[in-house]
């Protein structure tokens, strides 16, 4: 590739305020993780083995006001039912097909702090089954410093487990599974959960003093355990609904009395009950007799969440001090006078070590298991190094394997981390969400005001139109920093009613922009009046056009294309003020009645305005011809990978897409077939690209070149030229984003010295095919200005963290 200039902008004027993760849940098959955020949105992530990146499958924008407190994924129906409780006492279901939140239980008296689902017969598994992931994703606040690992070796990496734990069959007294709700008014309410529709009331357990903050079922469903703000754990009979016994949790920890809150509960198949409380204590109890077995006080704040591996020989706790701690079952027997008790409780639980990857409170934990196909990687040759290696290295691909459980954590720092459940202290956690809720950016490349560009920035509930000034964009250089600046803010527009903005777009000439919230889309015209003066006028859309998941303008800015919640794609003629084309995506092209298709979440338009590629939330592609006004082609998911980004080459209309399996496909749209490049190379891409740092979030094509593209994630970008041989691996070190970033820092340091000799610097800036450029800070957008220059919008993560507030503030329940 010819010399390329990267014009960087530090993102100071780009508002970015991601929301904390308040709850996590794993799908019944353990292959998907749902993450609820404090702003009411829910994200769905596809769990990935080490050879590919995690995939952000979809986002549902829910209601902002009643904050989510917990998530439960009910194993019923095809994909189960994902339910959430909230502080207003309601329970909602998240429709993952129509991308909607709907209430299934109206508001109760006070908050519902946690939910627990009654176990089913098929959920009682032997130790190696992964579909049962006993964990609770509970909400709370706070944490501590940067990525900080304890180097405590557990000394045993095997997963040998004593499977002699007795697992009696579930005791069913009801036709439906029951959902237990821990309520703020001191009661535990039980509801029937059918396969669809609203929840139906079953009955309530007797009320107690204080709030019920945590709840769980015994594995045979005969008993319910509840923890409350009065420091007591109560055991209830699930058939007579009488209290069997109560435990004063403060006796074994560092706290006591009414100031102690039982924030999390977890029960194991062997009958051990585990509690986490506001004093930082994690206590192990004999659930048969209510007696204390062990107490650990390694947390410095609230213990917000507990989780265990499927074999249940390891337990994890997380708290407001930012720590995630591992406890492992040892084979030492408890000394007890009662031989029966000693026989039933055969293990002690020992502290192994901690990992502190979060800078703030860890609010939720869950377990997940990769189930997608894992591509075999060639054997790696050992690289000798003279310098001393650090005890722990970033090597996600070494531990994240098919069918091997991993721990997931989320918290107030808005990040999501994956840990090796088997070798917890041996490997650094994997940050699979490096740019949480990043603002969406669109560049009006054909619009210039005195040589500057208009840029649309979509935040949670507002839009900003900014004027970007780029200096020296004709001089090639990859070392340029600060060459792009924001001259001034053209428009700042709040959404109607401060509702969440789902999608937005700006026309290529910068005269029109639009956005959609969860109710309806809105369209505006933007006119430059000279100087810094602009006028903004609203353009009315047809009423039948409702909430839009994706939108874009045609090349000539004459029409707005919208994919809506009703499953249709509308082309709105702006001059005529009406819908000119209406598409119904379908996978059958034989003229039969189209079936209900998932919502379209991404759309791409060819440079000549003829082709539209629409991608649904599961990765299928529909191709439409705007000239003949009908669907041209349906492309099912390629190799079971979802589409992460895409676009059309400007010169030949070839459709290029990237997938969640880090594959690149090139389609000949007109011929309805896979391109020759893909037939030869798609499954033989360089190893460095197969392990692309972070999920690919966008493509950028040079305006005049027909054979090249820049693929980028929040962590790195890669240059691909389809006319060049693939060659050897790119320059990104295998399996190490951290190493890549350090390498980038070293290059930057060297560059400062070399800038004294500009000519020498330019000689080294010719890119090779599949060559990477790693980013030090999260990148939000990469877009070509000319064939020889790209605009890169980045933002320092520490600037984002400053808006989070101080870590470790406690007592969110008002105790």
């Amino acid at each position: 590739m010819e010399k390329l200039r990267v014009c960087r902008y530090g993102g100071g004027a780009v508002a970015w305020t991601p929301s904390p993760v308040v709850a996590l849940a794993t799908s019944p098959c353990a292959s998907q993780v749902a993450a609820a955020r404090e702003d009411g949105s829910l994200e769905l992530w596809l769990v990935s083995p080490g050879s590919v990146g995690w995939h952000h499958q979809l986002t549902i924008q829910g209601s902002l006001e009643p904050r989510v407190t917990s998530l439960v994924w009910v194993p019923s129906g095809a994909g189960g039912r994902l339910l959430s409780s909230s502080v207003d006492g309601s329970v909602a279901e998240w429709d993952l097909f129509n991308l909607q939140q709907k209430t299934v239980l109206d508001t109760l008296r006070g908050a519902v702090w946690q939910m627990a689902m009654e176990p089913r017969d098929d959920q009682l598994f032997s130790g190696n089954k992964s579909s049962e992931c006993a964990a609770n994703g509970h909400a709370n606040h706070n944490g501590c410093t940067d990525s900080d690992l304890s180097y405590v070796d557990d000394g045993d990496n095997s997963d040998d487990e004593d499977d002699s734990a007795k697992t009696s069959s579930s005791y069913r007294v009801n036709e439906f599974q029951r959902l237990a709700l821990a309520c703020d008014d001191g009661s535990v309410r039980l509801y029937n959960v059918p396969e669809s529709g609203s929840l139906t009331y079953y009955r309530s357990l007797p009320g107690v003093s204080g709030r019920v903050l945590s709840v769980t079922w015994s594995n045979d469903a005969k008993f319910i355990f509840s923890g409350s703000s009065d420091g007591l754990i109560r055991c209830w009979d699930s058939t007579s609904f009488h209290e069997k016994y109560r435990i004063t949790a403060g006796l074994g920890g560092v706290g006591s009395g009414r100031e102690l809150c039982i924030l999390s509960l977890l029960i194991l198949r062997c009958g051990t009950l585990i509690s986490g409380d506001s004093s930082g204590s994690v206590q192990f109890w004999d659930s048969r007799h209510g007696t204390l077995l062990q107490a650990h006080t390694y947390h410095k704040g609230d213990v917000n969440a507990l989780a265990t591996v499927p074999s249940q020989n390891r337990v994890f706790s997380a708290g407001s001090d930012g720590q995630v701690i591992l406890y492992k079952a040892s084979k030492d027997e408890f000394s007890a006078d009662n031989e029966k008790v000693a026989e039933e409780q055969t293990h002690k639980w020992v502290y192994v070590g901690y990992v502190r990857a979060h800078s703030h409170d860890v609010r939720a934990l869950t377990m997940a298991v990769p189930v997608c196909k894992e591509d075999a990687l060639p054997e790696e040759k050992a690289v000798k190094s003279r310098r001393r290696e650090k005890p722990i290295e970033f090597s996600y691909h070494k531990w994240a394997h098919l069918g091997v459980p991993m721990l997931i954590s989320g918290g107030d720092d808005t990040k999501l981390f994956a840990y090796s459940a088997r070798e917890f202290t041996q490997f650094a956690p994997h940050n699979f969400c490096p740019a949480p809720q990043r603002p969406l950016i669109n560049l009006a490349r054909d619009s210039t005001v005195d040589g500057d560009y208009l840029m649309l920035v979509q935040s949670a509930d507002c839009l900003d139109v900014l004027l970007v000034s780029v200096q020296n964009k004709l001089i090639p250089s990859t070392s340029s920093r600060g060459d792009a600046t924001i001259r001034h803010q053209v428009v700042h527009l709040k959404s109607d009613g401060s509702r969440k903005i789902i999608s937005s777009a700006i026309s290529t000439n910068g005269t029109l922009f639009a956005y959609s919230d969860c109710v309806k889309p809105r369209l505006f015209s933007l006119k430059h009046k000279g100087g810094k003066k602009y006028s903004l006028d609203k353009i009315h859309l047809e009423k039948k056009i409702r909430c839009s998941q994706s939108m874009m303008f045609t090349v000539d800015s004459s029409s707005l294309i919208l994919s809506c919640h009703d499953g249709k794609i509308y082309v709105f003629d702006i001059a005529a003020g009406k819908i000119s084309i209406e598409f119904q995506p379908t996978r059958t092209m034989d003229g039969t009645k189209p079936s209900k298709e998932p919502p379209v979440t991404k759309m791409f338009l060819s440079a000549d305005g003829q082709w539209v590629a629409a991608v649904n939330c599961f990765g299928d592609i529909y191709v439409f011809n705007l000239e003949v006004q009908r669907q041209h082609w349906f492309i099912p998911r390629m190799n079971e990978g979802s589409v992460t980004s895409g676009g059309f080459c400007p010169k030949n209309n070839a459709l290029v897409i990237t997938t969640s399996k880090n594959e690149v496909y090139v389609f000949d749209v007109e011929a309805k077939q896979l391109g020759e490049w893909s037939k030869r190379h798609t499954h033989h891409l360089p190893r460095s690209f197969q392990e692309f740092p972070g999920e690919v979030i966008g493509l950028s094509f040079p305006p005049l070149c027909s054979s090249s593209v820049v693929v980028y994630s929040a962590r790195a970008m890669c240059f691909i030229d389809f006319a060049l041989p693939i060659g050897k691996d790119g320059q990104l070190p295998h399996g190490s984003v951290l190493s890549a970033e350090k390498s980038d820092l070293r290059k930057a340091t060297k560059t400062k010295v070399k800038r004294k000799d500009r000519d020498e610097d330019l000689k080294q800036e010719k890119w090779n095919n599949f060559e990477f450029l790693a980013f030090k800070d999260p990148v939000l957008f990469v877009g070509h200005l000319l064939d020889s220059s790209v605009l890169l919008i980045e933002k320092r993560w520490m600037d984002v963290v400053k808006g989070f507030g101080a870590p470790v503030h406690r007592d969110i329940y008002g105790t």
Side-chain angles (χ1 to χ4, degrees):
M1 179 188 175
E2 295 302 321
K3 297 166 185 161
L4 177 72
R5 181 178 186 83
V6 179
C7 305
R8 298 177 184 255
Y9 170 63
V14 176
W16 183 15
T17 310
S19 183
V21 176
V22 295
L24 296 171
T26 307
S27 64
C29 66
S31 66
Q32 293 171 301
V33 171
R37 295 188 180 269
E38 197 171 62
D39 64 358
S41 64
L42 181 130
E43 299 170 356
L44 194 64
W45 292 84
L46 186 65
V47 182
S48 168
S51 61
V52 294
W54 279 63
H55 173 49
H56 181 195
Q57 206 165 12
L58 55 89
T59 296
I60 304 176
Q61 299 293 351
S63 177
L64 175 63
E65 285 306 318
R67 180 173 63 84
V68 170
T69 55
S70 68
L71 288 173
V72 166
W73 210 319
V74 182
S76 64
R81 302 184 67 183
L82 181 58
L83 306 177
S84 66
S85 61
S86 61
V87 293
D88 70 346
S90 64
V91 175
E93 179 177 5
W94 299 84
D95 186 339
L96 304 181
F97 187 88
N98 296 308
L99 307 187
Q100 293 178 331
Q101 180 189 22
K102 51 189 179 185
T103 301
V104 293
L105 179 63
D106 291 331
T107 301
L108 302 174
R109 291 176 295 177
V112 174
W113 293 117
Q114 203 177 78
M115 301 185 293
M117 200 66 202
E118 179 182 16
R120 297 192 313 184
D121 291 337
D122 57 2
Q123 288 177 304
L124 298 172
F125 57 93
S126 60
N128 60 356
K129 185 177 178 181
S130 62
S131 62
E132 165 80 356
C133 296
N136 66 58
H138 194 42
N140 209 324
H141 285 273
N142 311 336
C144 237
T145 60
D146 219 87
S147 289
D148 191 57
L149 300 170
S150 71
Y151 302 133
V152 180
D153 190 348
D154 61 11
D156 180 16
N157 290 335
S158 67
D159 261 1
D160 293 338
E161 148 103 335
D162 182 5
D163 287 329
S164 62
K166 299 176 182 179
T167 57
S168 58
S169 60
S170 178
Y171 182 73
R172 300 305 302 277
V173 296
N174 193 31
E175 178 184 357
F176 300 107
Q177 274 187 284
R178 293 171 293 178
L179 181 68
L181 307 182
C183 300
D184 192 72
D185 62 0
S187 66
V188 175
R189 292 182 172 85
L190 305 179
Y191 286 83
N192 293 324
V193 182
E195 288 195 1
S196 62
S198 299
L199 309 185
T200 57
Y201 178 74
Y202 184 72
R203 71 164 299 156
S204 297
L205 302 182
V208 302
S209 60
R211 302 173 172 90
V212 179
L213 305 176
S214 53
V215 65
T216 191
W217 293 77
S218 64
N219 284 277
D220 58 9
K222 290 183 179 180
F223 302 104
I224 300 172
F225 299 92
S226 65
S228 52
S229 61
D230 58 4
L232 297 177
I233 302 170
R234 293 174 172 85
C235 177
W236 306 88
D237 190 299
S238 66
T239 55
S240 67
F241 308 106
H242 293 155
E243 183 180 318
K244 184 181 178 184
Y245 63 79
R246 66 180 63 178
I247 300 171
T248 303
L251 296 179
V254 297
S256 61
R258 292 186 176 275
E259 295 181 355
L260 189 69
C261 295
I262 311 301
L263 304 177
S264 49
L265 291 172
L266 175 68
I267 194 162
L268 307 181
R269 290 191 303 275
C270 63
T272 300
L273 177 67
I274 307 164
S275 66
D277 59 49
S278 57
S279 71
S281 300
V282 175
Q283 296 173 284
F284 295 78
W285 308 88
D286 175 8
S287 66
R288 299 170 181 85
H289 309 285
T291 54
L292 179 66
L293 302 174
Q294 280 176 282
H296 295 286
T297 56
Y298 293 97
H299 283 288
K300 303 299 189 294
D302 298 347
V303 179
N304 299 327
L306 298 167
T308 183
V309 295
S311 59
Q312 299 195 355
N313 64 339
R314 294 163 187 254
V315 169
F316 301 90
S317 63
S320 63
D321 56 1
Q323 293 187 101
V324 179
I325 295 178
L326 168 63
Y327 311 90
K328 185 178 178 182
S330 73
K331 295 183 179 179
D332 297 333
E333 293 188 358
F334 288 103
S335 59
D337 296 333
N338 189 325
E339 292 183 0
K340 184 177 180 181
V341 173
E343 182 181 355
E344 290 175 345
Q345 305 290 348
T346 58
H347 294 305
K348 286 185 177 180
W349 291 88
V350 297
Y351 168 83
V352 176
Y354 74 92
V355 172
R356 184 183 283 119
H358 292 274
S359 61
H360 289 62
D361 307 37
V362 183
R363 294 210 202 181
L365 295 176
T366 192
M367 296 296 302
V369 181
V371 297
C372 61
K373 180 182 176 183
E374 183 176 12
D375 297 327
L377 291 173
E379 291 189 6
E380 184 179 6
K381 293 183 180 180
V383 179
K384 295 182 179 180
S385 177
R386 292 180 179 272
R387 57 192 176 89
R388 185 178 179 182
E389 295 294 334
K390 291 187 176 182
I392 295 180
E393 297 179 353
F394 179 91
S395 46
Y396 179 68
H397 72 286
K398 292 184 179 179
W399 61 263
H401 299 299
L402 182 67
V404 178
M406 62 176 70
L407 178 71
I408 314 299
S409 69
D412 278 2
D413 64 357
T414 74
K415 294 290 191 72
L416 290 165
F417 287 95
Y419 310 74
S420 170
R422 182 177 293 176
E423 297 141 324
F424 180 70
T425 59
Q426 303 308 302
F427 297 104
H430 173 49
N431 176 13
F432 62 87
C433 183
Q437 294 185 310
R438 62 183 178 87
L440 300 180
I441 296 176
N442 287 286
L443 183 68
R445 190 164 58 185
D446 296 338
S447 170
T448 58
V449 180
D450 298 328
D452 299 332
Y453 297 88
L454 287 176
M455 184 174 71
L456 179 69
V457 180
Q458 173 191 320
S459 299
D461 60 355
C462 65
L463 292 175
D464 290 301
V465 180
L466 306 175
L467 199 59
V468 184
S469 178
V470 180
Q471 303 296 325
N472 304 320
K473 57 178 176 284
L474 296 177
I475 302 176
S477 168
T478 56
S479 59
S480 304
R481 300 187 66 91
D483 286 334
T485 56
I486 301 296
R487 278 184 52 188
H488 67 271
Q489 185 182 66
V490 175
V491 173
H492 177 75
L493 181 67
K494 290 282 290 183
S495 63
D496 193 17
S498 295
R499 288 191 287 263
K500 290 281 197 61
I501 297 178
I502 298 175
S503 61
S504 62
I506 189 169
S507 62
T508 56
N509 61 14
T511 60
L512 299 162
F513 71 91
Y515 79 89
S516 176
D517 55 28
C518 58
V519 178
K520 64 179 181 179
R522 288 166 176 81
L523 174 63
F524 300 89
S525 67
L526 184 65
K527 295 180 181 178
H528 186 211
K529 297 292 188 181
K532 295 184 178 181
K533 295 182 179 180
Y534 289 81
S535 65
L536 191 64
D537 298 311
K538 187 174 181 180
I539 301 175
H540 293 284
L541 297 169
E542 285 194 30
K543 291 184 178 180
K544 68 179 297 184
I545 303 177
R546 307 305 295 170
C547 172
S548 173
Q549 289 289 337
S550 179
M551 59 174 61
M552 60 184 178
F553 288 91
T554 54
V555 177
D556 59 2
S557 303
S558 63
S559 299
L560 176 64
I561 306 175
L562 309 98
S563 64
C564 296
H565 257 308
D566 58 5
K568 295 181 179 180
I569 296 176
Y570 299 100
V571 180
F572 180 78
D573 189 315
I574 298 174
K578 64 179 181 180
I579 297 171
S580 58
I581 307 174
E582 185 176 312
F583 293 118
Q584 178 66 63
T586 179
R587 59 188 62 227
T588 58
M589 307 292 293
D590 55 4
T592 57
K593 185 178 180 180
S595 59
K596 175 69 174 178
E597 295 291 317
V600 169
T601 55
K602 298 180 180 71
M603 291 193 297
F604 316 112
L605 180 68
S606 63
D608 62 1
Q610 180 181 1
W611 304 103
V612 171
V615 184
N616 67 28
C617 58
F618 298 108
D620 303 312
I621 306 172
Y622 316 91
V623 180
F624 302 94
N625 189 327
L626 291 182
E627 289 186 355
V628 299
Q629 301 185 7
R630 61 183 176 87
Q631 184 171 332
H632 176 72
W633 193 17
F634 170 75
I635 308 173
R637 270 162 285 189
M638 303 300 295
N639 196 23
E640 296 302 316
S642 297
V643 176
T644 56
S645 65
F648 287 89
C649 290
K651 291 299 181 181
N652 58 12
N653 280 348
L655 175 61
V656 181
I657 66 164
T658 59
T659 72
S660 57
K661 305 195 76 173
N662 288 345
E663 295 171 332
V664 179
Y665 291 91
V666 181
F667 296 98
D668 185 337
V669 172
E670 193 161 356
K672 298 184 182 180
Q673 65 181 17
L674 199 62
E676 289 299 323
W677 186 90
S678 283
K679 292 177 182 178
R680 292 195 304 267
H681 302 302
T682 287
H683 300 294
H684 306 282
L685 297 180
R687 177 172 172 176
S688 57
F689 191 87
Q690 294 176 34
E691 298 195 349
F692 203 108
E695 182 179 16
V696 173
I697 58 176
L699 307 181
S700 179
F701 296 90
L704 300 178
C705 180
S706 61
S707 63
S708 67
V709 64
V710 170
V711 181
Y712 68 94
S713 71
R715 290 179 167 182
M717 71 179 186
C718 176
F719 165 74
I720 302 176
D721 193 327
F722 301 114
L724 296 178
I726 289 181
K728 298 180 180 180
D729 273 347
Q731 301 302 312
L732 188 69
H734 164 61
S736 176
V737 175
L738 298 181
S739 298
E741 292 174 351
K742 290 176 183 177
S743 175
D744 190 42
L745 286 174
R746 287 196 294 269
K747 289 179 181 179
T749 304
K750 293 177 182 178
T751 301
K752 291 178 182 178
V753 178
K754 291 180 179 179
R755 279 186 185 177
K756 296 179 181 179
D757 188 349
R758 189 76 179 181
D759 294 334
E760 181 180 327
D761 182 50
L762 295 179
K763 288 179 183 178
Q764 301 181 1
E765 293 170 0
K766 186 173 180 178
W767 283 35
N768 298 316
N769 204 14
F770 279 93
E771 185 170 347
F772 279 84
L773 173 65
F775 304 140
K776 175 187 174 184
D777 297 310
V779 164
L780 310 176
F781 174 80
V782 174
H784 275 82
L785 302 172
L786 302 170
D787 274 18
S788 60
S789 64
V790 295
L791 174 65
L792 186 150
I793 309 295
E794 60 187 351
K795 186 152 187 171
R796 293 180 65 247
W797 179 248
M798 291 309 299
D799 292 338
V800 179
V801 171
K802 290 177 182 177
F804 291 164
V808 192
H809 58 279
R810 306 201 295 176
D811 298 336
I812 68 166
Y813 300 102
T815 58

